[in-house]
Amino acid sequence: MSVPDTTVRPVHRRSTTDRFLLWAGRLGWRHAVMWPVVIFAVFPVLFVVSAALNPLGTLSGSRLWPTGASMANAQDLFQNTPFATWYVNSLFFAIGNAAITVLLSALAAYAFSRMRFKGRRVGLIGLLVIQMFPQFLAIVAIYLMFSDLGELYPVIGFDTRWGLLLVYLGGALSINTWLMKGFFDTVPRELDESAQMDGATHAQVFFRIMLPLVTPVLAIVGLLVFVSTINEFLLASVFLRDTGAQTLGLGLYQLVDSQRNANFGMFAVGAVMLSLPTLAVFWFLQRYISEGLTSGAVKG
């Protein structure tokens, strides 16, 4: 008959050093990577906000933590420059370009994805080739073209909102049409066919069936076009020569072009104000992106 072993064995507890090494092995490397990235991303934001609140308003006097805080730079920017006009112009171009690009690109993408017509393949290849070349490569040709158009139709000439908006639309439609076309291809054709059998037209299929299903790509395109337009500088500097017709980015550049040290505080205030619409649009559209992704993951 065997006797059960009743020997009490000691419990080995990990020391503080062992627990720290275990934590460092599991999660420490993530923090070692995360904190430098966070510091690298947050430092420019803190520096610009500090410069905006610095009462000195100069580049040489800017510090990461200002010695004092005041709204003097904001008052100078609002009172001594046409800030409101610049801001409204920037919002007009960004919102108008984003809205029209989303609508026209979605219509073109639906046609390329669902319809078969002569020249379809050539059109797709043309869009693919056009998007390989940056728009500023054709800036001389665009300038000469609008010089003639401005004489015939002054409403789309230089120093006009509609003229520059047409230029922005020409550069944004090709790549976004190709992007949306690939997303439209993922929607089953059976949905279109069943709706058409019930008597739905192409317009009804597009607006009532397709658009709700491709909401994520619409939100992404709208966000990308909005951000790129509100931060665009090169084309605006060529087409908008009048001070009252300029965008905020172009106006802020002129503040620091000749007197970089003296007007840096006003420049920082304008940069902070310019970032607010981008944050608002991203905050508004991320809900649609998340809802579209989660709803698309559920089958049934």
Side-chain angles (χ1 to χ4, degrees):
M1 182 176 179
S2 60
V3 179
D5 186 8
T6 58
T7 304
V8 178
R9 295 181 176 84
V11 178
H12 296 283
R13 296 182 177 179
R14 293 192 179 98
S15 63
T16 304
T17 304
D18 294 336
R19 289 197 298 268
F20 175 77
L21 293 176
L22 181 62
W23 172 85
R26 292 181 178 178
L27 301 177
W29 66 271
R30 300 179 184 178
H31 291 271
V33 174
M34 178 188 68
W35 285 112
V37 173
V38 171
I39 294 173
F40 182 80
V42 173
F43 176 78
V45 178
L46 293 178
F47 182 80
V48 172
V49 174
S50 175
L53 298 176
N54 194 332
L56 297 179
T58 61
L59 180 60
S60 59
S62 299
R63 299 290 186 272
L64 184 60
W65 300 106
T67 55
S70 69
M71 303 301 294
N73 294 323
Q75 294 177 357
D76 293 339
L77 180 64
F78 297 153
Q79 295 176 1
N80 301 330
T81 63
F83 174 80
T85 303
W86 293 344
Y87 204 79
V88 171
N89 291 338
S90 296
L91 291 179
F92 170 81
F93 289 121
I95 296 175
N97 191 24
I100 299 176
T101 297
V102 168
L103 177 60
L104 296 183
S105 297
L107 290 171
Y110 176 77
F112 281 117
S113 177
R114 289 299 193 262
M115 302 177 183
R116 296 296 180 267
F117 51 88
K118 187 177 181 180
R120 173 180 175 274
R121 182 177 178 82
V122 177
L124 289 174
I125 296 176
L127 292 177
L128 183 62
V129 172
I130 291 174
Q131 70 182 13
M132 294 181 180
F133 300 93
Q135 191 178 18
F136 68 85
L137 292 179
I139 193 169
V140 176
I142 295 175
Y143 180 86
L144 297 176
M145 182 187 305
F146 274 84
S147 297
D148 297 334
L149 287 176
E151 297 179 358
L152 298 176
Y153 306 100
V155 69
I156 58 173
F158 294 111
D159 296 324
T160 62
R161 293 180 174 180
W162 300 109
L164 184 57
L165 184 60
L166 287 177
V167 177
Y168 285 153
L169 289 173
L173 288 177
S174 60
I175 184 173
N176 292 303
T177 299
W178 184 270
L179 177 63
M180 288 189 181
K181 189 262 180 187
F183 206 92
F184 272 80
D185 290 341
T186 62
V187 179
R189 292 180 176 271
E190 288 77 8
L191 297 176
D192 304 12
E193 296 173 355
S194 61
Q196 291 175 358
M197 290 180 62
D198 293 336
T201 62
H202 284 293
Q204 293 173 333
V205 171
F206 175 77
F207 287 103
R208 295 185 180 182
I209 297 177
M210 297 297 293
L211 287 187
L213 295 176
V214 297
T215 301
V217 73
L218 299 180
I220 292 172
V221 169
L223 177 62
L224 294 178
V225 174
F226 183 90
V227 173
S228 62
T229 304
I230 203 171
N231 294 322
E232 201 280 326
F233 172 79
L234 183 60
L235 292 175
S237 63
V238 174
F239 282 82
L240 302 179
R241 298 164 294 186
D242 186 14
T243 304
Q246 292 176 350
T247 59
L248 183 57
L250 188 57
L252 293 178
Y253 170 76
Q254 294 181 355
L255 289 179
V256 298
D257 184 22
S258 58
Q259 299 179 355
R260 180 178 306 174
N261 189 40
N263 298 327
F264 186 74
M266 292 191 294
F267 176 86
V269 174
V272 174
M273 295 294 295
L274 188 62
S275 65
L276 296 181
T278 303
L279 295 176
V281 170
F282 178 78
W283 184 265
F284 175 75
L285 293 180
Q286 70 172 352
R287 177 169 62 91
Y288 294 94
I289 297 175
S290 302
E291 291 179 358
L293 295 176
T294 54
S295 63
V298 179
K299 296 182 179 180

